[in-house]
Amino acid sequence: MIVSRSGMRQVAWTGGPAIVAPRAPSDPPLGHGCAAALRLAVEWPAPGIVVVRIGGEVDVATVPRLAELLRQRLTAAALQTVVLDLSAVTFASSAAVELLLHVQRRAEHRGVGLLVVTGEVVLRLLVITGLQERFICRDSAAEAVSEARS
């Protein structure tokens, strides 16, 4: 069955699995076996250092929200270092790579340091894409904050 959000009639499909129209943010989670909820937390452990913790799925549906949050943090006047903690990410698509590259460009443009806590999912994505060496990756947010303070 082909499903459409445009209000068109449903058409039977006998040649294989169903084709589903693109998901809307209000649709139930699909596919990855993980909760699709996006979890965000922002901390200021020291003056000029912000830790942005992201958990859940980072994909085309969640990247706009993340991009806006990170844009706001990168425009803070007294910012010296952003620690992007992605260790709780359960799924990361190519949109996550695009977001990381965008955040890195903005940080460089503003003269702000960027440290990334990868976690297993994001580290695998960076290794697969050959971008691991492009980012300053750390094993924990505590390690990144300690480095940013020194």
Side-chain angles (χ1 to χ4, degrees):
M1 174 184 294
I2 297 175
V3 179
S4 170
R5 297 198 191 293
S6 64
M8 296 177 64
R9 65 183 179 87
Q10 296 180 355
V11 179
W13 175 266
T14 58
I19 299 172
V20 181
R23 293 177 12 134
S26 61
D27 287 349
L30 292 177
H32 311 300
C34 306
L38 180 65
R39 294 177 308 280
L40 301 169
V42 178
E43 303 170 18
W44 293 88
I49 301 171
V50 65
V51 177
V52 179
R53 297 182 193 274
I54 298 171
E57 295 185 3
V58 180
D59 58 19
V60 71
T62 58
V63 161
R65 182 174 173 199
L66 291 172
E68 178 59 21
L69 172 82
L70 292 167
R71 183 196 63 75
Q72 291 171 359
R73 296 303 163 255
L74 285 168
T75 58
L79 188 62
Q80 296 169 353
T81 305
V82 172
V83 175
L84 190 54
D85 185 352
L86 304 171
S87 60
V89 169
T90 57
F91 174 80
S93 73
S94 60
V97 172
E98 185 178 345
L99 175 69
L100 280 170
L101 292 170
H102 176 73
V103 168
Q104 185 182 48
R105 281 190 303 271
R106 287 193 69 115
E108 287 174 354
H109 178 72
R110 296 242 19 244
V112 172
L114 175 65
L115 300 171
V116 180
V117 180
T118 56
E120 185 179 328
V121 172
V122 175
L123 180 60
R124 177 177 160 85
L125 184 61
L126 292 177
V127 168
I128 288 170
T129 58
L131 294 171
Q132 180 183 8
E133 300 302 319
R134 183 163 179 162
F135 297 95
I136 301 171
C137 298
R138 296 295 175 255
D139 294 329
S140 70
E143 178 185 340
V145 168
S146 176
E147 181 178 325
R149 285 182 174 170
S150 57

